[in-house]
Amino acid sequence: MTDLRHHAGLWAGITALTLRSHPPPDTGMPSHTRTLVFSHANSFPASTYRTLFEGWRAAGYDVRAIDKIGHDPRHPVTTDWPHLVDQLATFIEEEVGQPAWLVGHSLGGAIVLQYTGTFPEHVARVCAIEGMGPPPEMVQQMQEKQVEDRLRDYIRDTHALSARKPREYASLADAEARMREANPHLSEDMARHLTLHGVIRLENGHYAWKFDNYVRVWGPNRYDVEAVRRL
């Protein structure tokens, strides 16, 4: 279970801002530019942000989102996330129309910034919340590691995940109890909301968190700080 302490604070602040939002300004652009494409944080499927989406829709936006970024085998998770940027580009091209309003949280923020740097002509507005990439100390550690060490770490982490069986819960109440245990700062409504929209029901009737832990693993290539900053 992911610790949500930092994200929960952001959630509360973003929700407050969202509910104070005004209708989209008249920019003179075609009506499809009022579409808002949201990219979620790592471990938090887009469906868990429904409170935010409701506020945006009430303000007049048509909200679209990929529910689980990085879960499509055509767009795997690698260092610098180029395949995830491609996944967003494909989604916008096929499902939305251009230009679009882009909002991203954490991992999603990094993705929308890279997309905007690559295709600025397809973006009407962009907002990145916590999306500036890994913290400096983490980047430094990655830069200092030799290729054989990065590859060893990558293989070790993926093997550990392959041997890990997803935890199952007999009921939604049990899953919610686990959410509260890991994140006691959450309100009852928020814990229930994150649980309800963050699980899948298995064939045996039990529940499991629907976000694949493999998405957490960094690729073995060196993080290209300058390239990401340029975008």
Side-chain angles (χ1 to χ4, degrees):
M1 168 61 62
T2 301
D3 188 325
L4 306 180
R5 281 176 291 187
H6 188 47
H7 297 285
L10 282 170
W11 183 297
I14 299 165
T15 301
L17 288 172
T18 297
L19 297 181
R20 291 197 296 269
S21 294
H22 299 290
D26 185 1
T27 62
M29 296 179 179
S31 60
H32 68 252
T33 63
R34 307 296 173 83
T35 296
L36 189 155
V37 179
F38 181 79
S39 296
H40 63 73
N42 198 350
S43 304
F44 300 89
S47 54
T48 64
Y49 292 82
R50 289 191 180 186
T51 299
L52 301 183
F53 296 171
E54 290 170 2
W56 282 325
R57 286 172 177 139
Y61 293 92
D62 175 20
V63 182
R64 312 283 184 87
I66 301 169
D67 188 46
K68 293 186 292 182
I69 294 170
H71 287 63
D72 186 331
R74 297 171 297 176
H75 305 286
V77 177
T78 57
T79 308
D80 300 345
W81 314 296
H83 301 293
L84 305 189
V85 177
D86 180 35
Q87 185 177 16
L88 177 62
T90 301
F91 180 78
I92 291 174
E93 181 177 348
E94 295 181 354
E95 304 291 339
V96 178
Q98 300 157 338
W101 300 61
L102 306 185
V103 178
H105 175 205
S106 194
L107 171 63
I111 293 170
V112 300
L113 289 179
Q114 290 194 37
Y115 176 86
T116 301
T118 307
F119 301 107
E121 69 276 15
H122 296 165
V123 180
R125 297 286 189 276
V126 63
C127 175
I129 306 158
E130 253 199 337
M132 304 307 293
E137 60 274 14
M138 182 178 178
V139 171
Q140 182 176 351
Q141 291 174 0
M142 290 189 294
Q143 300 302 90
E144 292 173 350
K145 282 187 177 181
Q146 296 301 317
V147 61
E148 61 272 20
D149 294 324
R150 296 196 306 272
L151 187 56
R152 183 182 294 112
D153 289 347
Y154 173 75
I155 293 173
R156 180 200 61 204
D157 292 344
T158 54
H159 285 190
L161 285 174
S162 67
R164 179 180 172 183
K165 183 180 179 181
R167 185 169 180 176
E168 297 183 13
Y169 303 89
S171 66
L172 282 172
D174 290 342
E176 184 179 339
R178 174 57 181 152
M179 176 69 75
R180 293 177 186 278
E181 178 186 355
N183 304 279
H185 56 284
L186 291 177
S187 68
E188 290 186 8
D189 288 343
M190 184 58 68
R192 187 173 301 110
H193 179 92
L194 289 173
T195 301
L196 180 63
H197 299 293
V199 297
I200 56 172
R201 191 164 192 179
L202 306 175
E203 291 183 0
N204 62 5
H206 289 184
Y207 296 86
W209 306 112
K210 67 180 180 180
F211 209 87
D212 192 333
N213 281 323
Y214 276 102
V215 178
R216 300 172 183 267
V217 179
W218 277 80
N221 297 326
R222 181 168 277 139
Y223 185 74
D224 193 338
V225 178
E226 293 306 317
V228 171
R229 284 176 178 168
R230 177 177 173 79
L231 290 174

